[in-house]
Amino acid sequence: MNAQAFFVAGTDTGVGKTRVTAALLAAARVQGLSASGMKPVASGAELISGRMASADALQLAAASQQATPYEELNPYCLEIAISPHIAAKLANISINIAKIVTISTKLRLASDLLLIEGAGGWYTPIGERESMADLARALGCPVVLVVGLKLGCLNHARLSLEAIQHSGCAFAGWIGNYADPDFMAPEENLATLEQLLGAKPLGLLRYSARTESDDAHMHPALLQLLASRQRQIT
């Protein structure tokens, strides 16, 4: 089995990549699919159950109920909550893209769906010369862009799409996450985003402190992503 895989990127840090990824994984599980999440690089680890771990990575594992060893779920767990390349340098760690690709290949063979969540924005550095863009290109997965719906999202979304295309990566679509409860003119902004990104959103997550219904909201987005592979096959 070779899972369909997507790289989940964001227009910036803190726009809801983890929440969207977890919701898609939970929706896949409801569909009866074997789904796995992966957070290759995470900054800002915490002491959880006696070990340093990323809360984001653990959220993905909980949503999918996967039994992936933590070292494969989150190969590079960096303690300090700063840019990955700085956190890695301070920890005397070198982030190896080839290692991440090898692990992702293993996870794809054991799943129906693999979602790989990036860190920060598209060009977030992970080394002196490499960024999240280089990782996404090496993984070779279509990219799902999470747009944080807040002031400035139009500029960030258009720049991110252009960067994804410039990197030679396939664009699978975008998902909007209402990151600001006071976001003004939402309908007008969504219409502009559709124009700038060339497509309607795969799905939208409304602002809420609760996540219990996230999987239901992301179910239509999941079906569209799964259908995209069928179109490629046929």
Side-chain angles (χ1 to χ4, degrees):
M1 183 186 301
N2 191 4
Q4 186 172 9
F6 295 91
F7 184 85
V8 182
T11 48
D12 200 352
T13 189
V15 296
K17 292 188 300 297
T18 300
R19 184 169 183 173
V20 167
T21 305
L24 289 169
L25 289 170
R29 185 165 53 82
V30 171
Q31 282 285 106
L33 299 176
S34 170
S36 295
M38 183 182 183
K39 179 83 175 182
V41 181
S43 299
E46 308 169 40
L47 187 62
I48 302 175
S49 300
R51 68 164 296 160
M52 297 304 295
S54 161
D56 287 354
L58 294 178
Q59 185 176 340
L60 300 187
S64 62
Q65 295 188 356
Q66 67 193 87
T68 305
Y70 188 84
E71 293 72 17
E72 297 180 357
L73 173 71
N74 175 209
Y76 293 98
C77 181
L78 307 169
E79 182 176 357
I80 305 176
I82 54 178
S83 181
H85 75 297
I86 299 174
K89 186 174 182 178
L90 291 174
N92 198 29
I93 292 173
S94 177
I95 296 174
N96 187 326
I97 289 179
K99 174 182 175 180
I100 295 172
V101 172
T102 297
I103 294 173
S104 72
T105 300
K106 177 181 177 181
L107 294 179
R108 289 186 72 167
L109 292 173
S111 307
D112 297 316
L113 174 69
L114 174 63
L115 299 181
I116 305 167
E117 183 195 343
W122 187 250
Y123 284 129
T124 293
I126 58 176
E128 291 186 1
R129 298 184 178 179
E130 296 176 317
S131 70
M132 277 291 147
D134 296 294
L135 174 58
R137 187 186 301 110
L139 289 166
C141 306
V143 178
V144 177
L145 179 65
V146 177
V147 179
L149 299 177
K150 57 182 180 178
L151 186 63
C153 67
L154 303 180
N155 175 67
H156 285 106
R158 181 172 181 177
L159 287 175
S160 295
L161 175 58
E162 290 182 358
I164 290 167
Q165 294 171 333
H166 179 74
S167 298
C169 296
F171 179 58
W174 65 281
I175 292 173
N177 177 54
Y178 282 86
D180 179 2
D182 300 317
F183 184 51
M184 297 181 66
E187 298 305 321
E188 291 84 351
N189 275 282
L190 284 174
T192 303
L193 282 168
E194 291 178 13
Q195 180 182 15
L196 293 175
L197 301 179
K200 292 182 178 296
L202 298 171
L204 295 171
L205 272 183
R206 299 293 174 179
Y207 184 86
S208 174
R210 304 176 67 87
T211 61
E212 291 88 344
S213 60
D214 281 1
D215 60 327
H217 288 300
M218 284 295 98
H219 182 253
L222 173 71
L223 294 182
Q224 291 184 72
L225 290 173
L226 295 176
S228 67
R229 183 181 192 183
Q230 293 301 319
R231 290 194 295 270
Q232 292 170 4
I233 292 174
T234 57

